[in-house]
Amino acid sequence: MSNLVPVFYEHLSKMEEKQLACGVILAACKTLTKESMELIKQDLGTSSGDGSEIALHYAYDKNKQLFGILLEGQKLSSTHFYALRVKDYLQEHKLLAGSLLIASFPESSRSSGQMLMRMIQEMREPGAHGEIQIYEHNPAQKEEPASILLVNHDETVNEFLSIYFQRKGYLVTVANDGMDGMEKYQEVAPDLVITDLNLPILNGYQLMEKIKHISASMSKIMVLTDKRLEEDVQKSFAMGASDYITKPFSPVELEARVKRLIS
């Protein structure tokens, strides 16, 4: 997981809870030291360019060489305007190593957390040097199907549900254990996670805890298990699950509850 996620996610979540706009700029950068980050903060300051002040948050992912700026309360147009300034600064100081990608919540996505993770994923295929790209991963605009991550050690269940939901038009990713589930979660940022509690390596509770640590509201979680004890149900909901279904299950009922969660 990029270290930009934990740095920015708390701020994004607060903006989302308050239903306030929030801009994000990601730039492919050469290696930045702590000192160069401080210089960037000082030189860019907090002015939007039109005299108004902006609350800005900066972060740098050393491994991905990704520089990020979060702009509180800024819509896409003002974020783009500020990105021009960031681009000029990075080029002038020979720090820019590729393109820039910008977005603003809620204009660009229904989830601020998913927007951030998918922006980071898109930066793996950078555009032309100095190009400012606009993140357009908006399911509503592109009519992109909702995505589901299935985490179950039972390959028969995974295969059945994968085929079932793919035929219903969902994008489905499968993981066979909790660790694999966590890695796939970070790769695809799904709309919904359907997980068993009995999982190898990381059990379902540990998986939910790690997802909750990244983002409490980025994805819905449904537990699909043969555990029927009340304490398991209570613990699952306490750890962020939105629904709990026990086996054996009706695929029709399961689909109806999936639609309810991610429609």
Side-chain angles (χ1 to χ4, degrees):
M1 178 178 66
S2 169
N3 61 21
L4 292 174
V5 174
V7 173
F8 283 165
Y9 189 74
E10 183 178 355
H11 300 295
L12 282 168
S13 296
K14 289 179 181 177
M15 294 293 100
E16 186 173 351
E17 289 174 4
K18 295 177 182 177
Q19 298 184 324
L20 296 176
C22 191
V24 175
I25 300 171
L26 298 181
C29 253
K30 296 179 181 176
T31 301
L32 298 180
T33 63
K34 185 180 294 185
E35 290 74 20
S36 57
M37 281 288 289
E38 289 303 315
L39 279 175
I40 290 174
K41 293 178 186 177
Q42 291 176 21
D43 292 344
L44 289 178
T46 58
S47 172
S48 64
D50 61 3
S52 60
E53 296 292 308
I54 308 176
L56 299 169
H57 305 276
Y58 300 86
Y60 176 66
D61 187 316
K62 184 178 180 181
N63 293 327
K64 298 181 184 299
Q65 293 192 301
L66 206 57
F67 176 56
I69 304 177
L70 188 150
L71 306 88
E72 289 190 12
Q74 301 303 305
K75 295 184 177 180
L76 190 59
S77 57
S78 53
T79 301
H80 187 270
F81 182 75
Y82 195 81
L84 293 169
R85 184 177 173 188
V86 174
K87 170 190 165 183
D88 290 343
Y89 179 90
L90 295 176
Q91 284 185 324
E92 182 181 344
H93 291 79
K94 303 186 186 306
L95 294 172
L96 192 64
S99 60
L100 296 89
L101 182 63
I102 67 169
S104 177
F105 178 82
E107 293 171 275
S108 303
S109 175
R110 63 188 177 193
S111 162
S112 62
Q114 285 185 341
M115 180 184 79
L116 177 60
M117 289 185 69
R118 288 173 175 167
M119 286 180 71
I120 293 171
Q121 291 167 6
E122 287 196 14
M123 288 299 289
R124 293 174 181 172
E125 299 178 1
H129 186 90
E131 180 183 6
I132 298 178
Q133 300 175 315
I134 297 176
Y135 171 80
E136 295 180 334
H137 209 123
N138 188 329
Q141 291 177 350
K142 287 189 165 186
E143 297 183 351
E144 178 181 303
S147 57
I148 298 174
L149 171 61
L150 298 173
V151 190
N152 201 303
H153 67 286
D154 188 330
E155 294 184 1
T156 303
V157 172
N158 277 341
E159 183 179 3
F160 171 74
L161 290 180
S162 179
I163 293 172
Y164 185 86
F165 282 114
Q166 284 174 355
R167 286 179 175 172
K168 299 295 180 182
Y170 293 92
L171 293 175
V172 180
T173 302
V174 173
N176 297 311
D177 60 59
M179 183 64 76
D180 187 28
M182 195 61 218
E183 292 173 353
K184 297 281 179 58
Y185 179 85
Q186 293 171 3
E187 291 173 6
V188 301
D191 295 296
L192 174 69
V193 178
I194 301 178
T195 182
D196 201 342
L197 295 177
N198 295 315
L199 297 172
I201 306 179
L202 290 178
N203 63 39
Y205 294 124
Q206 292 170 316
L207 176 62
M208 285 191 283
E209 181 65 31
K210 287 185 174 294
I211 291 175
K212 186 178 177 181
H213 180 70
I214 295 175
S215 64
S217 60
M218 187 183 299
S219 302
K220 298 291 185 181
I221 299 176
M222 174 187 286
V223 173
L224 178 62
T225 182
D226 55 6
K227 286 180 173 288
R228 294 173 176 273
L229 295 178
E230 184 64 25
E231 62 187 44
D232 290 312
V233 178
Q234 291 180 354
K235 186 175 180 180
S236 294
F237 282 112
M239 297 187 71
S242 298
D243 204 347
Y244 192 102
I245 299 179
T246 55
K247 300 175 183 175
F249 59 91
S250 158
V252 175
E253 180 188 357
L254 179 63
E255 182 193 356
R257 291 164 77 160
V258 165
K259 282 184 178 177
R260 179 179 61 81
L261 288 178
I262 58 177
S263 60

